[in-house]
């Protein structure tokens, strides 16, 4: 009989839905996954989720967002949030925020991201991850979605 695998480590993370003046959504080309994603990353020890989302957008996309980011979703469902990583199995506790771009030029960092582009909502690249459901809720949903 095989023993059950240990539960994944829980990792707090942030996801940013940043739009431009035309209402297009910012995506970055992630080097680890080789996919288009929303700007995202882990919350660092001693950092608030609001500070983390602003930092991740700046690091990955070169954009400064307004301080008043708005929480639109909290995503933990193991069916979509558990991943095998080089550091073992992780379950991400992802806080999604709607953010307003106020300064900076779209520019990848060259390390975590290789491209930054804005896309019309719903017209994302075929390899967009995680899901346009999170974007749709951030742009048009009512209240905070929790899974």
């Amino acid at each position: 009989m095989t023993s059950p695998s240990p539960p994944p480590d829980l990792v707090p993370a942030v996801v940013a839905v940043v739009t431009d003046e035309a209402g297009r959504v910012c995506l970055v080309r992630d080097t680890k996954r080789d996919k288009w994603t929303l700007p995202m990353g882990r919350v660092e020890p001693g950092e608030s989720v609001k500070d983390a989302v602003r930092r991740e957008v700046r690091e990955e996309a070169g954009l400064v967002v307004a301080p008043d980011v708005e929480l639109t979703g909290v995503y933990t469902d193991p069916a979509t949030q558990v991943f095998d990583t080089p550091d073992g199995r992780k379950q991400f506790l992802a806080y999604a925020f709607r953010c307003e771009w106020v300064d900076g030029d779209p520019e990848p960092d060259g390390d975590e991201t290789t491209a930054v582009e804005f896309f019309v909502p719903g017209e994302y690249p075929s390899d967009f991850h995680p899901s346009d459901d999170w974007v749709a809720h951030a742009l048009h949903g009512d209240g905070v979605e929790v899974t």
Side-chain angles (χ1 to χ4, degrees):
M1 181 186 321
T2 61
S3 61
S5 56
D9 293 333
L10 190 62
V11 178
V14 292
V15 178
V17 178
V18 182
T19 55
D20 66 7
E21 64 281 347
R24 297 175 304 166
V25 176
C26 176
L27 299 183
V28 296
R29 186 82 185 169
D30 181 276
T31 57
K32 288 182 218 164
R33 296 174 194 89
D34 194 29
K35 295 181 184 291
W36 286 98
T37 70
L38 296 163
M40 64 176 70
R42 295 176 185 210
V43 178
E44 300 294 334
E47 182 177 50
S48 74
V49 292
K50 286 184 173 186
D51 287 343
V53 76
R54 289 190 295 264
R55 175 184 51 77
E56 287 292 346
V57 171
R58 181 73 174 154
E59 287 177 2
E60 294 186 358
L63 306 176
V64 176
V65 296
D68 58 339
V69 296
E70 182 182 349
L71 180 66
T72 60
V74 180
Y75 303 98
T76 61
D77 185 350
T80 60
Q81 291 305 109
V82 173
F83 300 94
D84 289 318
T85 74
D87 300 325
R89 285 180 65 73
K90 307 290 182 193
Q91 179 179 352
F92 288 88
L93 168 58
Y95 298 90
F97 289 90
R98 180 174 38 233
C99 305
E100 179 188 358
W101 173 22
V102 295
D103 198 9
D105 295 317
E107 186 174 330
D109 69 1
D111 180 35
E112 292 182 77
T113 59
T114 57
V116 178
E117 291 186 33
F118 285 83
F119 295 87
V120 172
E123 297 180 13
Y124 307 112
S126 61
D127 64 347
F128 173 51
H129 177 82
S131 164
D132 63 353
D133 292 344
W134 293 12
V135 177
H137 185 79
L139 297 179
H140 308 294
D142 185 24
V144 177
E145 181 176 49
V146 179
T147 64

